[in-house]
Amino acid sequence: QVQLVESGGGLVQAGGSLRLSCAASGRTFSTYTMGWFRQAPGKEREFVAVIMGSGGSTGYADSVKGRFTISRDNAKSTVYLQMNSLKPEDTAVYYCAGQRATATGYDSWGQGTQVTVSS
């Protein structure tokens, strides 16, 4: 497993942008599928975006498609989530997660970073 640490959250006005970062420890980061999830108060944690180890394939929740972009820099063992045109409903704690190539689900999670979008 890798250790994951998110950063970049904060308070932003609607329509603004933030970039989240997730730094990973370990030497096998490039083999991990990485995802971003979020959890709003009183709601279940939900999928936001995913990127394969090579960075060639990505996927997004419909609610963020066209506004958020996931990317990774394997040389820096870091995955990013660029969030544009933010809406108040994007307010949540955002978590990054990693899945080993041999795992059936995400088996490494960060501690989360708060994103608050004001109207």
Side-chain angles (χ1 to χ4, degrees):
Q1 295 181 340
V2 293
Q3 302 297 315
L4 303 173
V5 179
E6 302 98 334
S7 61
L11 173 64
V12 64
Q13 289 188 333
S17 298
L18 281 175
R19 189 176 82 153
L20 305 183
S21 299
C22 174
S25 66
R27 303 177 183 177
T28 59
F29 176 76
S30 63
T31 66
Y32 276 67
T33 293
M34 298 299 297
W36 285 97
F37 293 77
R38 66 186 182 186
Q39 187 168 19
K43 294 187 176 181
E44 297 288 319
R45 185 160 56 189
E46 64 176 2
F47 164 78
V48 174
V50 63
I51 187 166
M52 304 305 289
S54 65
S57 296
T58 59
Y60 298 91
D62 288 343
S63 59
V64 307
K65 201 170 294 183
R67 299 187 298 122
F68 290 11
T69 302
I70 189 171
S71 62
R72 67 191 296 161
D73 185 337
N74 286 338
K76 295 182 178 180
S77 297
T78 301
V79 61
Y80 305 97
L81 186 68
Q82 177 66 43
M83 306 185 293
N84 298 329
S85 302
L86 283 161
K87 306 175 182 179
E89 51 263 44
D90 293 319
T91 295
V93 177
Y94 283 72
Y95 300 89
C96 71
Q99 178 178 345
R100 289 173 292 168
T102 56
T104 56
Y106 291 95
D107 53 356
S108 296
W109 290 86
Q111 82 289 348
T113 186
Q114 176 70 47
V115 171
T116 303
V117 184
S118 63
S119 57

